[in-house]
Amino acid sequence: MSVTIVVGSQWGDEAKAKIVDYLAADAEYVVRFQGGANAGHTVIVKGKEFIFHLIPAGIMYPEKICIIGNGVVVDPVALMDEIEELKKRGIDVEGRLFISQKAHLVMPYHKMLDQASEKHKGKNSIGTTGRGIGPAYRDKAARVGIRIVDLLNRDVFREKLQTNIRDANEFLTKIYGNEPLKVDEIVDAYIEFDRKIDPYVTDISVLLHDAYKNGKNILFEGAQGALLDIDHGTYPYVTSSNTIAGAACIGTGIGPTYVDEVIGVMKAYTTRVGNGPFPTELEGEFAEKIREMGGEYGATTGRPRRCGWFDGVIAQYSSRINGLSSLAITKLDVLDSLQEIKVCTGYRYGDRILTNFPVDCDVLDSIEPVYETHPGWMKPTTNIRRYEDLPEKAKSYLARISELTDTPVAFVSVGSDREQTIRA
């Protein structure tokens, strides 16, 4: 029996889904605990690409139980589209996909408010995906959100919806100049959604507790990354949920004493999508070269990712706030052709060198990264399957990452396919 949490340890897009998919071979339950359809998790098996937004990556294995926890905000349209796409590709979710009845719903007005707000902010926008995730979490915190369980009582659902749409229309029409939403159309659409998802809805806290007591292996899958955490990330350029390992307990209803291991996924370099500080960001032709070699475009939005050198300061910070047991280093192969590779070990701020991650974004915008240079291995790694067969300079680079984070490297990814994963 084991309970393992997999979390992103940079600004998201660390190829968590690939590591979850790999580890799911030994798990019996795979659980998504936060975020929404703004997260795109890509899995490639035998050359075939699958992109997940809400359903855990473990669904690729026909015998695994997959769970969407209460910490996730569920977009009905995205969920049903995902289920239908999986069915078309021969993956049946019936009897093995379960959704918490406590999960909050993303409503049409959430998406409209999200998009209108970003447009209204102009150059001061945060850079959201426009999927309504932030407004859905805002309603949850304001205690006016609509949960899946609310669909069971049509009268209560309609009453809540009328109130929320009335308030949303105030913003949409008077501030943003949009057309008002109609209650009846939304009620009808969500009642139809309720009919479709009814077989999947359950008390997942009970389900997971029973699985734990029966000695099952449980794997938790996080979305986004630690530096996008609403409390611990580069606020305000963050997502709307807690993305660190501790959120797995809150987002599913299990106790922290259940957890055995926390694996942090980090790229061998650093990327970021959207606005916000990025101390090691590269620019110009070299940045474009890394972006093309790594295929650095968002799975959900298609937006080009900003690329930079490995940042040991944020890596050490992420290891600490997540309580990482080990690391999974992905996309090592992207660096195969580089003669020199830089690693940030600190930040120069005025006449000081900062080795701990600062919480103030204004400070982050004013710092200069302190780099050390490592020799590249200049050899392809994509066909290597044993850690000892990696080039010595690649192993030295990985050892330095481990040293900076005070966390052992347990897995190394040298390609996008499931089989291109090495156990250290």
Side-chain angles (χ1 to χ4, degrees), residues 4-9 16 19 23 219-220 245 261-266 322-329 407 410-411:
T4 302
I5 302 172
V6 176
V7 289
S9 301
K16 294 178 293 298
I19 300 302
L23 295 172
L219 181 63
F220 289 91
E261 184 180 17
V262 181
I263 300 172
V265 186
M266 298 183 185
N322 281 297
L324 297 183
S325 311
S326 61
L327 297 176
I329 303 299
T407 309
F411 304 93

Side-chain angles (χ1 to χ4, degrees), residues 252-417:
T252 59
I254 63 137
T257 54
Y258 285 20
V259 180
D260 299 301
E261 184 180 17
V262 181
I263 300 172
V265 186
M266 298 183 185
K267 281 178 182 168
Y269 49 100
T270 311
T271 62
R272 177 166 198 166
V273 171
N275 300 332
F278 187 175
T280 66
E281 184 173 11
L282 296 166
E283 296 181 353
E285 291 184 8
F286 189 65
E288 185 60 31
K289 177 182 177 181
I290 297 294
R291 182 178 299 115
E292 292 303 317
M293 290 193 302
E296 297 297 352
Y297 296 90
T300 298
T301 64
R303 289 185 293 180
R305 296 176 186 140
R306 301 155 65 190
C307 298
W309 294 118
F310 186 87
D311 190 330
V313 180
I314 70 168
Q316 184 275 336
Y317 172 69
S318 183
S319 181
R320 172 162 50 86
I321 61 176
N322 281 297
L324 297 183
S325 311
S326 61
L327 297 176
I329 303 299
T330 62
K331 295 202 171 185
L332 184 73
D333 56 297
V334 175
L335 306 181
D336 284 353
S337 63
L338 301 187
Q339 292 184 340
E340 291 185 340
I341 302 167
K342 292 184 179 181
V343 173
C344 174
T345 60
Y347 301 149
R348 189 180 306 280
Y349 181 59
D351 58 356
R352 292 185 294 155
I353 299 295
L354 308 178
T355 55
N356 288 317
F357 185 74
V359 298
D360 190 336
C361 279
D362 289 336
V363 173
L364 279 171
D365 281 333
S366 304
I367 61 93
E368 177 186 348
V370 177
Y371 288 117
E372 59 184 28
T373 302
H374 293 254
W377 42 94
M378 301 291 290
K379 296 178 182 177
T381 59
T382 54
N383 292 322
I384 294 175
R385 298 294 178 267
R386 300 192 308 165
Y387 190 83
E388 54 266 34
D389 293 335
L390 286 169
E392 289 301 319
K393 290 176 181 178
K395 287 188 284 188
S396 295
Y397 181 69
L398 293 169
R400 182 56 173 148
I401 290 175
S402 177
E403 182 181 27
L404 286 168
T405 58
D406 194 26
T407 309
V409 174
F411 304 93
V412 181
S413 173
V414 291
S416 56
D417 200 271

Side-chain angles (χ1 to χ4, degrees), residues 50-69:
F50 296 81
I51 299 177
F52 304 100
H53 298 283
L54 288 165
I55 297 175
I59 203 74
M60 296 295 294
Y61 294 89
E63 71 278 14
K64 310 301 179 184
I65 301 296
C66 291
I67 295 171
I68 297 174

Side-chain angles (χ1 to χ4, degrees), residues 8-10 12 14 224-229 232-233 243-244 318 321-322:
S9 301
Q10 293 162 316
E14 303 95 346
Q224 288 97 23
L227 275 294
L228 293 175
D229 186 278
H232 302 285
T243 60
I244 62 173
S318 183
I321 61 176
N322 281 297

